[in-house]
Amino acid sequence: ETLRPPRRGRRKYVKFWDSCFLEDPDRVAALCERIVERRLEQAFRYVAETRVENIVRAADILPLMRRAGFARIGCGIESPSRETHRTLGKGINLAHVGRAAELLGAAGIHFTKFLILGHQGESESEILGYPDYSLGHGVRLQNTTYFVLTPYPGTELAATYGQQGLIESENWNLYTNHGAVITPSGISAARLQMLYAA
């Protein structure tokens, strides 16, 4: 309510910085009702991130979210590999990715998948298969954003990759989620950067 609406043209975008936004669907439904009640969807569009499982659980409120101005929902899929998911311990059910894409598409909400290249144990051919995986869910109201796995100092990932000798560079200018600094599965950082560009 305190944000200045645009004078003309497109609506402004507002992002909710909560990686599990749909964890509590009742709370989100109440928020959407308040947005509609105050007619804020006329000036703003909303973006959020969550888990695919939460999208499936919150299927009933997706039309309300669209009515309230939610235009895009992003999800960290990380990898199309079940083995990688077991290693990461994130508990993502990859079968829910397609279902989430269907539900969001039916509600008219754009779906962004986030994939990360550079997981230890994934081959070059598996990495090159990421785009086919992304396109496997269709292209209507969908896109995929790719990142390069980045072992930020102080994280468990940095400790693990450091102990395994997989960190090739500590050039902090490359620690942006778009610069390759690791050598996973025998793939050099330079080659990983090329795969990312591809």
Side-chain angles (χ1 to χ4, degrees):
E1 288 180 322
T2 61
L3 290 175
R4 181 189 300 263
R7 293 182 188 170
R8 61 184 176 280
R10 296 182 179 189
R11 295 171 176 92
K12 283 187 177 178
Y13 277 78
V14 175
K15 180 169 183 175
F16 290 90
W17 285 98
D18 176 353
S19 59
C20 295
F21 184 74
L22 278 171
E23 186 69 29
D24 183 349
D26 292 338
R27 172 180 165 266
V28 174
L31 172 67
C32 289
E33 288 167 0
R34 185 74 61 85
I35 287 170
V36 171
E37 174 187 307
R38 298 185 184 192
R39 301 172 62 165
L40 296 174
E41 80 285 357
Q42 294 181 13
F44 302 102
R45 285 289 174 256
Y46 304 100
V47 176
E49 292 179 9
T50 194
R51 293 173 57 93
V52 288
E53 291 83 358
N54 290 343
I55 292 171
V56 174
R57 280 190 316 111
D60 292 345
I61 70 164
L62 295 178
L64 172 60
M65 290 179 70
R66 178 64 182 141
R67 198 162 63 249
F70 278 84
R72 181 183 305 270
I73 295 179
C75 293
I77 310 304
E78 322 305 4
S79 167
S81 165
R82 292 189 191 283
E83 185 57 39
T84 296
H85 281 275
R86 277 192 284 276
T87 302
L88 293 173
K90 289 195 69 170
I92 294 174
N93 183 340
L94 287 172
H96 286 147
V97 177
R99 183 65 182 137
E102 290 172 10
L103 291 168
L104 290 172
I109 299 173
H110 198 105
F111 182 34
T112 298
K113 299 180 286 285
F114 302 119
L115 291 174
I116 300 174
L117 285 68
H119 299 285
Q120 178 66 351
E122 289 189 6
S123 68
E124 187 170 314
S125 62
E126 286 176 293
I127 293 170
L128 289 171
Y130 276 37
D132 288 337
Y133 170 80
S134 299
L135 293 170
H137 301 110
V139 294
R140 182 183 169 273
L141 291 175
Q142 292 189 56
N143 74 306
T144 302
T145 300
Y146 297 93
F147 299 101
V148 179
L149 192 141
T150 305
Y152 288 106
T155 63
E156 184 178 327
L157 182 69
T160 301
Y161 273 54
Q163 289 167 358
Q164 296 175 3
L166 301 176
I167 298 176
E168 187 174 301
S169 173
E170 290 186 349
N171 176 354
W172 307 125
N173 292 323
L174 297 176
Y175 279 63
T176 62
N177 292 324
H178 302 286
V181 297
I182 56 173
T183 58
S185 307
I187 301 169
S188 71
R191 181 62 181 159
L192 184 60
Q193 192 71 55
M194 289 180 69
L195 292 170
Y196 172 66

